[in-house]
């Protein structure tokens, strides 16, 4: 159902993004036919279009809402910086640093033995509308990297990166990799997240 409000002959529903999250602002005097306040996605989730000639509090309402086709609810979910993992063992030692983007819109990271784990949110929208790309920026000579690189992967399933290093017989070892992670909206190819993250693991065995 159209909003009942138009600018340049175009209905507001075709000018602004729908309020997916539920935090979109309203302009109290603008209402739909059923009396509910007109509400669209907050401008912080997209870009602002040209003024539409309706004002509230001295500001054109176009300044409140994200223009149609521009809203995205993507964040890095904690991806970025450095993720460390370490372990010390009597006969052998093994450490894994891992980070994943999940199809429910959350992220999960872990640093296994001697470390911890945690979760975050990378999107509150529809995860399946997005793809992710991992690219290796800095390669190390030791350790095992488990990741699918250099191809866009739909976030309809969990996508992860993990780095593992191990040692035994009184030896120690370390491994490091730096990866670039990018998230794009499949519909228009726009990249909404582009950050690098370093994975670092170190281990030592006593005997």
């Amino acid at each position: 159902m159209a909003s009942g409000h138009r600018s340049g002959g175009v209905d507001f529903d075709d000018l602004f993004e729908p309020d997916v999250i539920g935090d979109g602002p309203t302009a109290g005097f603008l209402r739909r036919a059923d009396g509910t306040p007109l509400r669209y996605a907050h401008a912080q989730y997209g870009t602002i279009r040209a003024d539409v000639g309706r004002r509230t509090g001295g500001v054109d309402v176009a300044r409140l809402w994200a223009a149609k086709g521009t809203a995205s609810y993507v964040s890095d979910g904690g991806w970025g910086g450095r993720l460390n993992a370490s372990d010390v063992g009597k006969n052998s030692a093994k450490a894994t640093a891992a980070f994943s983007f999940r199809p429910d819109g959350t992220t999960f990271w872990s640093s296994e033995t001697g470390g911890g784990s945690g979760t975050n949110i990378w999107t509150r929208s529809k995860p399946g509308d997005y793809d992710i790309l991992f690219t290796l920026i800095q390669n190390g000579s030791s350790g095992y990297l488990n990741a699918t690189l250099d191809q866009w992967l739909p976030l309809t399933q969990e996508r992860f990166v993990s780095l593992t290093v191990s040692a035994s017989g009184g030896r120690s070892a370390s491994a490091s990799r730096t990866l670039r992670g990018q998230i794009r909206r499949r519909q228009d190819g726009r990249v909404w997240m582009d950050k690098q993250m370093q994975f670092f693991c170190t281990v030592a065995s006593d005997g």
Side-chain angles (χ1 to χ4, degrees):
M1 180 184 294
S3 72
H5 302 275
R6 304 172 75 83
S7 176
V10 182
D11 190 87
F12 276 22
D13 282 0
D14 296 318
L15 295 178
F16 301 105
E17 286 278 359
D19 180 29
V20 174
I21 304 301
D23 62 352
T26 62
F29 68 96
L30 293 178
R31 295 181 177 272
R32 295 184 179 273
D34 62 4
T36 58
L38 205 59
R39 183 193 303 269
Y40 297 101
H42 197 291
Q44 67 180 330
Y45 298 121
T47 58
I48 296 173
R49 58 158 286 110
D51 290 355
V52 295
R54 303 288 185 89
R55 303 178 73 83
T56 179
V59 177
D60 193 278
V61 296
R63 305 286 171 166
L64 304 177
W65 301 317
K68 189 77 171 184
T70 69
S72 175
Y73 303 94
V74 172
S75 70
D76 58 39
W79 173 273
R82 178 166 161 161
L83 184 60
N84 299 300
S86 63
D87 185 31
V88 176
K90 184 175 182 180
N91 297 310
S92 63
K94 178 180 177 181
T96 299
F99 194 104
S100 66
F101 289 82
R102 293 175 166 177
D104 62 357
T106 64
T107 57
F108 177 78
W109 61 269
S110 64
S111 51
E112 214 173 74
T113 308
S117 63
T119 62
N120 209 321
I121 296 172
W122 70 267
T123 186
R124 298 182 185 275
S125 184
K126 299 177 181 178
D129 289 345
Y130 297 89
D131 304 320
I132 193 164
L133 172 69
F134 295 118
T135 307
L136 185 62
I137 301 298
Q138 176 270 322
N139 196 11
S141 59
S142 60
Y144 172 70
L145 179 69
N146 187 7
T148 300
L149 303 175
D150 303 325
Q151 59 179 294
W152 287 103
L153 305 169
L155 281 159
T156 51
Q157 65 186 72
E158 186 173 21
R159 305 299 184 180
F160 67 92
V161 174
S162 68
L163 177 65
T164 300
V165 67
S166 59
S168 60
R171 294 185 175 88
S172 61
S174 63
S176 176
R177 302 288 194 283
T178 299
L179 286 95
R180 179 185 184 187
Q182 297 171 274
I183 295 178
R184 73 177 182 187
R185 184 167 56 187
R186 192 176 311 108
Q187 178 184 12
D188 55 11
R190 181 172 177 178
V191 174
W192 292 94
M193 192 276 286
D194 187 347
K195 295 185 73 173
Q196 293 184 18
M197 187 168 191
Q198 182 184 26
F199 293 75
F200 184 77
C201 300
T202 180
V203 293
S205 60
D206 292 337

